[in-house]
Amino acid sequence: MRRTRYKLPALPALAVVAVAVTATAFAVGTASAETTTASDTALVATLDQVLANARLAGSTTALQVRDAASGEIIYSHNADQRVIPASNEKLMTSVAALEVLGAGYQFHTIARYSGTKSGKTVSGNLYLRGQGDPTLTYAQFDAIATAVARAGITKFTGSLVADDTWFDRTPLGLDWSWQDEPYGDNAPISALTVAADANYNTGAVAVLTKPGSAAAKAGVVTLAPANTVVKIVNKTVTGKAGTANTVSATRSHGTNTITVAGSIPLAGAAKTSLLSVLDPTQVAIGVFRDALKRHGVTVTGANTTGATPSTAKTITDHASITLGKLLPYFLKLSNNGHAELLTKAMGRAKTPASAGSWSTGLAAGTAALKAIGVDTTRITMGDGSGLSRRDWLTTAQVATLLQAAQSRPWFATWYAALPIAGDPSPLIGGTLASRMRDTPAAGNLHGKTGTLTGVNALSGYVTDRSGRKLLFSSISNAAQSNVSDILDTAAVAMASSGGPAAASLRTERLPTVPRHVVTRDGEDVECSWVPNAC
């Protein structure tokens, strides 16, 4: 089949519409055809070979490759077929958030009081109002409590009120799997939340298990951030040195009780598990009360929830890091909570008179994507993270997004926040840390992964041997096994194209790409969702 190359109209004036194909792929567009280079002819033939892999039989696998500078489509296969993107949805959400909120956006957590202040005592309530800050770790709550103490207040006679009204109180997204409920990557969403660790795993706690002092003794279990809301049931035992670590942790449905069971070997390494909490608002206000107590501030009344009165007086306004600085934690670590908090924040920003919600946030995000050239009639956004199987898009529209992003003022920050293939550092390589090592894509490819059972995705940018930057989007649905290595092989083929020897490119000349598959409870997941799995 004769293949032709075309340049696309400039973005965002027109959205890209590629013709889907089901056999040999070819490039399509709206301009006049020109002779293909030997390198691109070889790349097309190689990508055809990659997608002919028998493991893709019966699946819907889509791939589009473009010249990043010109927008010319080099390869297009099933590019207009709607597919479930898994965490490739975060490309859409992050770009929309940068457009709606801006790279300098900060979440605010504000402590205020009602009533009157006399000396060091306030006759009234202390309110903590959240705006969805995903970076509220133990240290951040301590900093807010420090500010209260420095304001010269040691006692509040009223209640400690958690104000989470900035967002609605719908905690979970559409179609999120019930079996994933206990895990930190499926945490409920709240405007006042708590982060388990320095990676800002929000709405979650970290459970650390260490061996006891001797074999047959109970293991040592600690919780971060420490709080009295989440209860730990310790059923661990210390095994003999050299035995297997069989420790597991789970949160019982509808409770804040976490049961930790199994054996941890004597002198063995500590094990960390990230668990969601039932109600992030309650855990957050509990952590804050404990922080106040450490700083000599008492609140006589109980913890409760409610809106902060407009007449309340501000004690301190704690601002988070900027969205630009949050992006590496969001994208490299594929953090679902960040995606959903940003979605609701977009909703609040566009409809400030109402609480941020998935419906208003997704509408705001969709409008922002349309404005930069994405054909939003071809995509459906069911949530911000890609956990929902109501998320549908096409690789052509992901490629359009990648094309349009290059001209935006925030592009350099966003590009740097994408995982980089083969780099072992968690906040550089992220979910690509163990993939495509020792290949031309290593240290070169910046891309976003996506993994659910039956879904694999990889989209981003890669430079070929001639120095030409390519952008691509590849998504596979309904293969009978994880096919991330096949998508990686396609990306390595792109990185190997161009240059003097490119005309002889074929799959047999490519370096072998090993499979890197992470499972949990028999289901495929992003490696960043399992501690130390990347």
Side-chain angles (χ1 to χ4, degrees):
M1 181 181 292
R2 185 171 182 269
R3 188 180 68 89
T4 53
R5 295 168 20 169
Y6 300 87
K7 291 185 179 180
L8 297 169
L11 291 170
L14 292 174
V16 178
V17 180
V19 174
V21 294
T22 56
T24 302
F26 60 95
V28 296
T30 57
S32 61
E34 56 187 58
T35 305
T36 62
T37 65
S39 172
D40 284 354
T41 299
L43 176 58
V44 167
T46 303
L47 293 176
D48 277 344
Q49 285 181 298
V50 172
L51 297 189
N53 191 302
R55 287 165 52 208
L56 295 177
S59 71
T60 299
T61 300
L63 170 62
Q64 187 167 98
V65 183
R66 299 185 190 179
D67 181 304
S70 68
E72 173 191 353
I73 298 176
I74 297 168
Y75 187 89
S76 193
H77 179 83
N78 286 343
D80 271 344
Q81 290 281 358
R82 288 185 180 87
V83 284
I84 297 170
S87 286
N88 258 210
E89 185 75 4
K90 294 182 176 77
L91 292 170
M92 297 285 180
T93 301
S94 58
V95 166
L98 286 163
E99 288 292 292
V100 173
L101 303 173
Y105 178 81
Q106 293 174 286
F107 299 89
H108 289 262
T109 306
I110 307 167
R112 293 188 172 119
Y113 71 88
S114 62
T116 58
K117 180 176 181 290
S118 177
K120 295 184 177 182
T121 299
V122 168
S123 298
N125 298 332
L126 173 59
Y127 296 84
L128 188 66
R129 185 178 194 184
Q131 294 182 0
D133 185 358
T135 71
L136 286 176
T137 62
Y138 179 93
Q140 303 308 312
F141 282 104
D142 193 77
I144 298 170
T146 298
V148 174
R150 286 178 178 171
I153 304 171
T154 59
K155 184 178 180 179
F156 296 85
T157 63
S159 299
L160 180 57
V161 184
D163 182 350
D164 59 3
T165 58
W166 194 255
F167 296 159
D168 68 5
R169 288 196 171 95
T170 302
L172 302 173
L174 290 172
D175 297 331
W176 290 10
S177 176
W178 65 267
Q179 71 186 42
D180 294 328
E181 176 191 351
Y183 298 111
D185 50 271
N186 263 62
I189 304 304
S190 169
L192 185 60
T193 189
V194 60
D197 52 27
N199 286 332
Y200 308 131
N201 283 293
T202 189
V205 290
V207 179
L208 185 70
T209 311
K210 298 179 180 180
S213 58
K217 290 195 176 285
V220 178
V221 181
T222 55
L223 193 64
N227 67 90
T228 57
V229 178
V230 176
K231 308 299 182 185
I232 293 291
V233 177
N234 184 359
K235 295 185 177 180
T236 63
V237 65
T238 304
K240 294 180 180 179
T243 57
N245 188 326
T246 63
V247 168
S248 64
T250 187
R251 179 173 62 80
S252 300
H253 174 72
T255 76
N256 268 322
T257 299
I258 294 173
T259 300
V260 190
S263 175
I264 183 167
L266 187 65
K271 183 175 182 178
T272 300
S273 302
L274 290 173
L275 280 297
S276 68
V277 298
L278 176 65
D279 185 342
T281 299
Q282 292 300 324
V283 176
I285 205 66
V287 171
F288 183 50
R289 180 181 280 273
D290 292 343
L292 290 167
K293 185 177 180 179
R294 286 194 303 275
H295 290 280
V297 179
T298 61
V299 182
T300 303
N303 295 350
T304 187
T305 57
T308 306
S310 59
T311 55
K313 303 171 185 66
T314 298
I315 302 172
T316 185
D317 183 338
H318 176 82
S320 72
I321 59 175
T322 64
L323 174 54
K325 291 181 178 179
L326 179 67
L327 283 177
Y329 300 93
F330 173 24
L331 294 174
K332 290 183 186 289
L333 303 180
S334 202
N335 191 296
N336 296 321
H338 296 179
E340 309 306 351
L341 289 165
L342 287 168
T343 297
K344 291 197 176 188
M346 284 190 281
R348 181 76 194 213
K350 285 298 184 181
T351 55
S354 60
S357 66
W358 267 293
S359 59
T360 58
L362 293 173
T366 300
L369 295 174
K370 182 179 181 180
I372 65 170
V374 175
D375 185 353
T376 55
T377 66
R378 295 173 177 268
I379 69 171
T380 301
M381 296 179 71
D383 66 6
S385 64
L387 284 172
S388 174
R389 291 182 184 257
R390 300 192 193 202
D391 294 316
W392 294 91
L393 45 70
T394 71
T395 55
Q397 294 312 313
V398 177
T400 297
L401 179 86
L402 297 171
Q403 188 79 40
Q406 296 175 110
S407 65
R408 307 307 297 159
W410 41 256
F411 176 70
T413 299
W414 184 73
Y415 178 77
L418 295 171
I420 300 175
D423 193 301
S425 173
L427 282 176
I428 299 178
T431 55
L432 288 175
S434 296
R435 291 169 59 173
M436 292 170 276
R437 288 182 176 177
D438 303 317
T439 74
N444 169 5
L445 184 150
H446 289 229
K448 183 70 196 77
T449 57
T451 311
L452 294 171
T453 298
V455 182
N456 290 110
L458 178 64
S459 302
Y461 306 87
V462 65
T463 302
D464 72 12
R465 292 188 185 278
S466 72
R468 178 177 63 166
K469 181 167 282 188
L470 304 173
L471 63 85
F472 69 95
S473 177
S474 59
I475 302 175
S476 181
N477 284 186
Q480 291 188 315
S481 63
N482 187 297
V483 294
S484 59
D485 59 310
I486 298 177
L487 303 188
D488 287 356
T489 300
V492 170
M494 297 173 218
S496 302
S497 67
S504 61
L505 182 68
R506 291 294 185 273
T507 54
E508 59 270 18
R509 296 178 181 271
L510 297 175
T512 300
V513 178
R515 299 177 74 183
H516 181 73
V517 180
V518 175
T519 61
R520 184 179 63 199
D521 293 339
E523 301 291 327
D524 290 359
V525 294
E526 292 271 52
C527 63
S528 55
W529 301 350
V530 178
N532 305 312
C534 288

